[in-house]
Amino acid sequence: MAVKKRYWLMKSEPEKYPIDQLKEDKTTHWDGVRNYQARNFMRDDMKIGDGVLFYHSNAKPPGIVGVAEIHKESYPDFTAFDPQDKHYDPKSKHESPTWYMVDVKFVSKFKEIIALNELREMKTLEGMELLRKGSRLSVQPVEKKHFDAIVKRAEKQ
DNA sequence: GCCAACGTTGGC
DNA sequence: GCCAACGTTGGC
């Protein structure tokens, strides 16, 4: 029985991993998330085929740049085991990993970024987590109506 | 570079 | 369990 498709937003700094890189790679593993709430979404709730809004953070301007989808469900984030890695976490053990990641697949890149200031002006996005003051979660759920409104907006570009 | 809004750590 | 100090995120 198919489970209802869910929608997400995932942030990436374009200096580290821009959407163009995902387009080239086609799929990638989403490593380096070190926040428990974000981890729980990835580990427990993300299913193959779920929709993902790809957000560029720490960018000029910040905003949503395209769509991806969940390509592989959660498995241990191996970068946490590597002492040489920036995201190394000695608390995470192979037998009981602390951190998990998923694989995402490129779907589309918007013709133009939908900048954060534009998103804030869209009435249809009222209540969206991303737009909440102080929102910092790098992996967050998105309501279908919000996901659809953003994709629709992108199609009008 | 500043700083608000968190999240984490560790002393008590 | 409380909470001050500290670290991080990320917009501006």
Side-chain angles (χ1 to χ4, degrees), chain A residues 78-91:
Chain A
F78 52 77
T79 65
F81 304 136
D82 178 3
Q84 311 288 47
D85 196 279
K86 183 175 184 287
H87 300 290
Y88 174 59
D89 182 356
K91 292 196 304 296

Side-chain angles (χ1 to χ4, degrees), chain A residues 62-75:
Chain A
I64 297 170
V65 289
V67 174
E69 68 178 39
I70 302 303
H71 185 243
K72 181 179 175 184
E73 289 169 18
S74 68
Y75 57 104

Side-chain angles (χ1 to χ4, degrees), chain A residues 2 9 11 35 46 54 91 96 98 113 118 122 136 141:
Chain A
L9 180 142
K11 298 181 184 175
N35 170 283
M46 286 184 166
F54 197 109
K91 292 196 304 296
S96 59
T98 306
I113 187 171
E118 293 176 61
M122 291 173 65
R136 296 191 314 178

